[in-house]
Amino acid sequence: MTDRSSSAGRPLLPALAATVTVVLWASAFVAIRSAGDSYSPGALALGRLFSGSLALVLLCLVRREGLPPRSAWRGVAISGVLWFGFYMVALNWGEQRVDAGTAALVVNIGPLLIALLGTRLLGDPMPPRLLAGMAVSFAGAVTVGLSMASGGGSSVLGVVLCLLAAVAYAAGVVAQKPALARASALQVTTYGCLVGTAACLPFAGQLVHQVAGAPLSATLDMVYLGVFPTALAFTTWAYALARTTASRMGATTYAVPALVVLMSWLALGEVPGPLTLAGGALCLAGVAVSRTRARARNAAPLAAPAAGETRSERVS
């Protein structure tokens, strides 16, 4: 079962897990840009998921994690097909047909969709601070996207693919949340990744053919994507998501565009302009606002949590 009770007295752990996720997901954009020159969208997604699945299965064996309970499989399967599978293929494909700025603009509607779906389907609250923080962060993401857009470099198909990726991401997160109440973060991530790998098996022929001709650096980038931004980052994401609302976790990912700008600057020598830096600062400011809570709420007694809410969810 889940390990939430063991972290009830360690409220900083979910925040640390979310930070690890955001940093690794930001690094994925740099690795995808490199590996994408040698691998097609489907082959890259399959190679990434296969590498991640191997790492996760080995970790499950070491920790002696069994199968998720039957009640968790619906959420595991939906998140596996939509988020691990369809999202990665659609995003890889879309980013080959639009510039980075347009991709960032479209994909960053994902957290907004998570908030809407979470409120509608999961009963997530939408406090004013969270709503305000998401608005500020989205404005920052739009600013970053506009500053990076090359103009005329986008296709309608590319925009549609990025939009579908954002919808699949949001739906996968909302489906994953109930499963985390019944299974551990490692179980949900491992079997979701395995489901996504199975969904991408039609690209196996492409992967085998392209591995033979790809440079070692591109293949290592693909393995990195599987082990770190997938196996590790999706597990820390699930750990944090089990202890807070889907809406709040979605808002946290608005830090990714700011970190991508910084990593591209350091790793690729892409010096950001003033507008890009301003957008990144807005993203981080919005995340900071969305992660804070009113003092009156913090002072509320913890002895009587709402139905289905754990104590650790209230302090995360």
Side-chain angles (χ1 to χ4, degrees), residues 164-234:
L164 290 175
V167 173
Y169 158 51
V173 170
V174 173
Q176 189 184 62
K177 174 65 175 175
L180 289 166
R182 301 169 176 86
S184 70
L186 182 57
Q187 287 175 323
V188 171
T189 304
T190 299
Y191 291 94
C193 193
L194 286 170
V195 169
T197 303
C200 290
L201 283 178
F203 302 105
Q206 293 180 17
L207 178 61
V208 171
H209 175 74
Q210 291 168 15
V211 164
L216 179 61
S217 59
T219 301
L220 290 177
D221 281 331
M222 182 172 65
V223 173
Y224 170 82
L225 286 167
V227 175
F228 292 98
T230 303
L232 178 55
F234 273 77

Side-chain angles (χ1 to χ4, degrees), residues 16 18 26 29 53 68 72 87 90-92 157-158 167 172 183 208 234 250 266 273 282 294 298:
L16 178 61
F29 282 85
S53 293
Y87 166 81
L91 183 61
N92 291 344
L157 176 60
V167 173
V208 171
F234 273 77
L266 297 176
L282 278 176
N298 287 336

Side-chain angles (χ1 to χ4, degrees), residues 1-2 67-80 175-184 187-188 191-192:
M1 296 299 292
T2 63
L67 291 169
R70 184 178 300 177
S71 58
W73 268 104
R74 182 172 180 268
V76 169
I78 293 174
S79 65
Q176 189 184 62
K177 174 65 175 175
L180 289 166
R182 301 169 176 86
S184 70
Q187 287 175 323
V188 171
Y191 291 94

Side-chain angles (χ1 to χ4, degrees), residues 37 101 110 148 166 222 287:
D37 292 334
M148 295 171 62
M222 182 172 65
V287 171

